[in-house]
């Protein structure tokens, strides 16, 4: 995980805490939306990733809008984008974080597992 965080820091110029929060937001979103077996493959090759997601889940900021977003297809992605923006990332930085995370995951877990995660979430492949 530290290698991934360092790679994203060098590409974005963002600080470690911001990158860690961004990666956690993205992984949490994927964990909610993607097939569990494929996400487990991703977690297996990203040491510490499952723990970040679990820790975030225990501190989750629920509420009415979050609940509604979970019920409407595609709204999960919008919620994740809003969270990333609230964390201080602009759209270019968000794209860089996502692309670097996906590339790193593909390198470690293989294209098939990561592509299945991406294709299982409606509209995500268009964003990437």
């Amino acid at each position: 995980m530290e290698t991934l965080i360092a790679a994203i820091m060098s590409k974005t110029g963002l600080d470690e805490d911001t990158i860690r929060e961004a990666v956690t937001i993205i992984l949490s979103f994927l964990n909610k939306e993607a097939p569990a077996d494929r996400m487990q493959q991703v977690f297996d090759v990203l040491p510490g990733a499952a723990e970040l997601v679990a820790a975030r889940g225990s501190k989750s900021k629920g509420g009415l809008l979050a609940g509604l977003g979970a019920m409407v297809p595609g709204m999960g992605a919008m919620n994740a984008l809003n969270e990333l923006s609230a964390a201080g990332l602009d759209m270019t930085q968000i794209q860089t974080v996502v692309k670097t995370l996906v590339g790193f995951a593909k390198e470690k877990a293989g294209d098939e597992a990561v592509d299945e995660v991406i294709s299982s979430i409606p509209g995500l492949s268009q964003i990437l």
Side-chain angles (χ1 to χ4, degrees):
M1 186 60 79
E2 299 309 315
T3 304
L4 172 62
I5 300 292
I8 296 171
M9 285 174 57
S10 72
K11 290 181 180 184
T12 63
L14 295 168
D15 64 89
E16 181 177 348
D17 289 340
T18 302
I19 297 300
R20 193 171 298 280
E21 182 176 358
V23 168
T24 303
I25 290 167
I26 294 164
L27 289 173
S28 295
F29 161 70
L30 294 174
N31 192 47
K32 288 178 192 170
E33 303 287 332
D37 60 328
R38 290 303 188 176
M39 276 309 296
Q40 188 57 53
Q41 286 181 289
V42 173
F43 287 146
D44 288 346
V45 298
L46 295 176
E51 292 79 8
L52 285 176
V53 170
R56 185 179 199 296
S58 67
K59 297 185 266 182
S60 184
K61 301 174 199 162
L64 179 62
L65 291 179
L68 289 174
M71 296 189 300
V72 178
M75 285 301 294
M78 289 304 297
N79 288 339
L81 283 174
N82 287 337
E83 287 184 60
L84 290 164
S85 293
L89 283 78
D90 63 31
M91 195 52 143
T92 301
Q93 291 167 326
I94 291 170
Q95 289 173 330
T96 301
V97 171
V98 170
K99 287 179 182 178
T100 306
L101 175 59
V102 167
F104 190 84
K106 282 184 172 187
E107 182 181 303
K108 301 292 184 184
D111 289 356
E112 183 181 332
V114 177
D115 287 343
E116 189 170 321
V117 167
I118 292 167
S119 67
S120 71
I121 303 170
L124 187 59
S125 61
Q126 286 79 20
I127 295 171
L128 298 175

